[in-house]
Amino acid sequence: MDYLQENDFDIRAFLIRFGKRWRWFALSFLILMVACLLFNRYSKPTYLVRSTLFIPEERKTAVNSALKEQDLFELSVNTENEIENLRSYTLINDVVGKLSGNVRYYKASQLGSVEIFTSESPFICEIIGKINIQSKETVSVELINESKFFLEYFDSSSSQEVILEASFGEELEIQGTSVRFTKTKKFNELGLAGRYHIEFWPLVNFTENVRARLRIKPINPKASILELTLSTSVPDKGIRLLNTLMDTYIKRELELKNEKANKTVKFIDEQLASIEKALFSSEEEFEAFRTRNKIFNISQEGVSIFSRLKSLEEEKAKLGMQLDYFNYLIDYLANLEPGSVASPSTAGISDAGLNNLVVKLNETGNSIIRVSSSASEINPQLTTLESQYSSLIDVIKENVRNLRNTTEIQLNDINSRVLLSEKELNRLPGNERQYINIQRNFNVNEGLYLYLLKERAEAGIAKASNEASSKVVDFAVLQRMTFPNKNINFVIAFILSFVLPLVIFSIRDFIKNTVQSQIQIEKETGLSVVGNLPHFKYSNIDIINTYPSTELAERFRILRSTLKSTEPTGRVSTMVLISSTGDNEGKTFTAFNLSSVFSEAGYKTLLLCMDYRKPPGLASFVDFKPLPVSELTSKHTLKYVNQSASIGGNLFVYSVRELPANPGQLMANEELRTFLGDLKNHFEYIVVDSSPIGHFADAFEIAKYADVSLFVVRANKTTIESLRILKSYVSKGLFKNISIVLNAGW
């Protein structure tokens, strides 16, 4: 208790004070629990569907490390990029369009409309062509029979309701959009009962709605697996949308990978087309020459020259194809549009640096395509990628120029060597020389043709073996219901059922600025509280004789013992002044019952009723005969008290029948001192019920003769300001041995 008092908070008093209002807490609990039950029962539920998707990390290569050291561009895969790609408007718009997700079905009920999935609807609404609705439109459908139904909607063009009868399978136009209603397998099962609503959302609006409900994050900071969650009121619809989103994302990645293979095949096909004509022409000329001239073999010298020329021509053809590739690459880079480029290896270029640069160019271009679908032109991420792409183009252009110069030098050298071989060829006979030239052209074209066919086959195999790096780890499943959270709602309702009344009563008590606890009294006055009386709920104020076994009666006995313990040894008679700071604070009630407990203990006790500012109230509860005012403090008074004022046992009551004309003058009369002195000679305890000090000065006069002063403070009635006034009187020494009795404190 000392600890509690030092901290200005009495837990026991706090609990008792609010415990008296338990009915309000019980009512609050009942109301909030019923409200929570109704809320959980009739709220439209929201569910969370979840899936996971594996996003691979980029492999580091030697060229990547070199380029990173040059700060040309960032090389590591940014998981945030892929998250934004998955949330991109273009991708989700494509998914919503595939699923007709912007058409929502509702079934009407007494408590409102509930959204349903197409599998639970007796019909589906198929949009024919493009949806032309600019704002959300609602259409009501009521089934008539197995082939017809009523359609109702608001026509914005005519500003009126439209009701029409339509048939399943019939093409209709609603707000400029062509639709067709088709029965589903559920039609016969659900029957004709019920009314349905269909919402048509503009594709852009519903796409943004899905993006707002979609959450994507890594399952942990070190993992390459993304968790996709979608909030939805129809779990099946959310599951289908998430699965389609992942499938479309993976297919888009595969399309970007296949684009490189497609361009490689296209480049090879263009080369094959030009060589094929020359090959067929050379073959026909070669066969015709052999048939015409009957030449099937050549001299040993011719064979040597032919072999040398064949080798040179094959090398020359390869260098020429490489130059064609360099020209193709320069033309492509001049376009500056991100995309995929055919690999240099398809043209027989084995330069590792150029091959790695082209691979990185393709990857960066694909990243730009993905990011640009979900980012604005001023997006920092897109700006960085475009800067990297531009820097990469500059590096490749410089590399290609160097390689092309080297290739041209090699080609010039080959041409020189071919001229030397042709001079040697000119020394051979004419038919043999012509035969070697024709065969040389044929063999060169044939070699190139076979080489390109091989490269095309390899490109086709590479394309066929392409697969997306991203993989679905977990397909979408229903995880939980997120709203309403029934358990949490009940916990909140339970807490609020106590918190709300507590807050309301605390605010009310604060505004009232009245006494609430014993700690508060002691803090404001510095006086000790010698009695704490519980709430009075009895019809008779004579607690000691009427309800002797109650806790309230015991509290008065404890008060008697406390006062007895403070009396000086040897005192014959004790006068106790009882007052208060205002009316109706329990002053007379306390005075009467304190007198009764003294009398009960065998002490001759007098209750002196000297509150002359209001009519005597004890006469209605206690059987005694009040004196006339004329007899007050006269010589007959003491005789009356001794003979006629006893109400049983050792208890005597002194009061007047009517109020005196001038109580203040009476209190200041010297006869009062004599009268009180005479009473002390005849009674062991005199309990004086005086007027409140907040209004009158009577108590100040009586206090001069009192041995003990008790002030009754009533909880929720006596103001804090009254306590401060009492403290000021005490500091001036107007009362002796003053203590406080807290009435109805708990």
Side-chain angles (χ1 to χ4, degrees), residues 135-321:
S135 59
K136 187 176 74 172
E137 300 288 347
T138 302
V139 176
S140 298
V141 178
E142 187 172 355
L143 303 177
I144 301 175
N145 52 44
E146 293 186 355
S147 60
K148 293 187 177 183
F149 57 90
F150 282 122
L151 202 64
E152 182 179 350
Y153 64 93
F154 180 79
D155 187 0
S156 57
S157 59
S158 60
S159 299
Q160 60 182 7
E161 290 286 338
V162 175
I163 302 177
L164 57 89
E165 183 179 314
S167 302
F168 288 107
E170 177 185 356
E171 185 173 331
L172 305 169
E173 184 173 314
I174 301 175
Q175 302 287 62
T177 300
S178 297
V179 298
R180 181 187 296 115
F181 287 82
T182 307
K183 292 190 292 184
T184 65
K185 296 179 181 179
K186 283 280 186 178
F187 186 88
N188 293 329
E189 179 182 335
L190 295 173
L192 303 177
R195 186 178 179 89
Y196 299 86
H197 305 292
I198 302 176
E199 283 184 357
F200 295 92
W201 287 59
L203 202 56
V204 60
N205 292 8
F206 194 77
T207 299
E208 292 297 339
N209 177 270
V210 172
R211 293 185 69 199
R213 294 185 283 116
L214 179 64
R215 296 287 181 272
I216 306 174
K217 64 178 182 180
I219 58 173
N220 66 63
K222 296 182 179 180
S224 298
I225 298 178
L226 299 180
E227 179 188 57
L228 290 76
T229 56
L230 181 69
S231 178
T232 177
S233 57
V234 184
D236 290 340
K237 187 175 181 179
I239 289 172
R240 186 180 176 191
L241 195 148
L242 271 190
N243 287 336
T244 306
L245 175 63
M246 293 189 295
D247 181 64
T248 305
Y249 172 80
I250 292 172
K251 285 181 178 178
R252 176 180 287 189
E253 180 191 350
L254 188 58
E255 287 172 0
L256 290 173
K257 284 189 173 184
N258 287 337
E259 185 179 352
K260 174 186 173 183
N262 291 334
K263 291 196 174 182
T264 300
V265 171
K266 181 182 178 183
F267 174 78
I268 294 175
D269 286 343
E270 291 173 353
Q271 298 296 315
L272 282 173
S274 63
I275 293 174
E276 190 175 29
K277 293 179 181 179
L279 176 62
F280 289 158
S281 176
S282 299
E283 185 179 15
E284 290 175 359
E285 184 181 2
F286 181 62
E287 291 297 329
F289 181 84
R290 292 181 64 177
T291 302
R292 185 173 60 251
N293 294 285
K294 305 299 183 182
I295 295 177
F296 296 97
N297 295 305
I298 56 176
S299 64
Q300 187 64 34
E301 184 181 5
V303 171
S304 176
I305 296 172
F306 173 75
S307 298
R308 189 163 60 251
L309 281 171
K310 178 183 177 183
S311 176
L312 291 172
E313 290 292 349
E314 287 177 352
E315 191 173 352
K316 179 181 176 181
K318 289 182 180 179
L319 291 174
M321 187 167 61

Side-chain angles (χ1 to χ4, degrees), residues 583-598:
D583 296 330
N584 301 316
E585 293 183 344
K587 172 177 58 64
T588 301
F589 167 76
T590 303
F592 180 80
N593 285 284
L594 182 61
S595 302
S596 296
V597 293
F598 278 123

Side-chain angles (χ1 to χ4, degrees), residues 504-692:
I504 292 172
F505 287 128
S506 297
I507 293 174
R508 193 191 71 168
D509 292 343
F510 177 78
I511 294 174
K512 286 175 63 177
N513 194 31
T514 55
V515 173
Q516 303 296 325
S517 67
Q518 177 177 334
I519 293 293
Q520 199 174 17
I521 296 172
E522 293 175 345
K523 178 181 177 181
E524 292 293 339
T525 63
L527 302 174
S528 61
V529 176
V530 295
N532 196 334
L533 308 178
H535 182 67
F536 173 64
K537 54 184 178 181
Y538 306 106
S539 58
N540 193 328
I541 69 168
D542 188 2
I543 303 299
I544 305 304
N545 297 307
T546 309
Y547 313 102
S549 300
T550 61
E551 183 175 5
L552 181 56
E554 290 301 321
R555 286 284 167 171
F556 277 108
R557 294 185 181 104
I558 293 172
L559 176 59
R560 177 192 64 194
S561 300
T562 302
L563 294 177
K564 283 286 296 177
S565 65
T566 60
E567 291 179 5
T569 304
R571 178 182 290 172
V572 177
S573 178
T574 301
M575 180 179 291
V576 180
L577 170 66
I578 296 182
S579 184
S580 63
T581 59
D583 296 330
N584 301 316
E585 293 183 344
K587 172 177 58 64
T588 301
F589 167 76
T590 303
F592 180 80
N593 285 284
L594 182 61
S595 302
S596 296
V597 293
F598 278 123
S599 172
E600 179 188 56
Y603 300 106
K604 187 177 181 182
T605 306
L606 171 65
L607 173 59
L608 190 57
C609 300
M610 301 193 71
D611 184 359
Y612 297 143
R613 306 294 178 164
K614 65 178 182 179
L618 282 178
S620 58
F621 297 99
V622 182
D623 184 17
F624 73 99
K625 298 178 180 178
L627 285 174
V629 176
S630 59
E631 297 292 334
L632 187 62
T633 70
S634 69
K635 59 182 179 179
H636 303 291
T637 301
L638 186 58
K639 180 180 178 182
Y640 163 79
V641 169
N642 283 322
Q643 297 179 359
S644 305
S646 175
I647 61 171
N650 296 317
L651 179 60
F652 297 80
V653 178
Y654 171 79
S655 182
V656 295
R657 295 193 188 116
E658 68 277 348
L659 297 179
N662 192 347
Q665 182 180 0
L666 182 64
M667 292 295 108
N669 196 316
E670 182 64 25
E671 291 184 5
L672 176 64
R673 183 175 65 82
T674 304
F675 171 66
L676 294 177
D678 290 341
L679 290 177
K680 280 190 173 186
N681 294 327
H682 292 79
F683 294 96
E684 294 175 272
Y685 281 95
I686 302 171
V687 179
V688 182
D689 177 16
S690 179
S691 304

Side-chain angles (χ1 to χ4, degrees), residues 405-423:
N405 290 338
T406 302
T407 303
E408 288 175 348
I409 293 172
Q410 293 175 344
L411 189 59
N412 290 334
D413 179 64
I414 293 294
N415 287 332
S416 299
R417 293 162 64 187
V418 168
L419 287 175
L420 291 175
S421 297
E422 286 179 345
K423 287 180 181 180

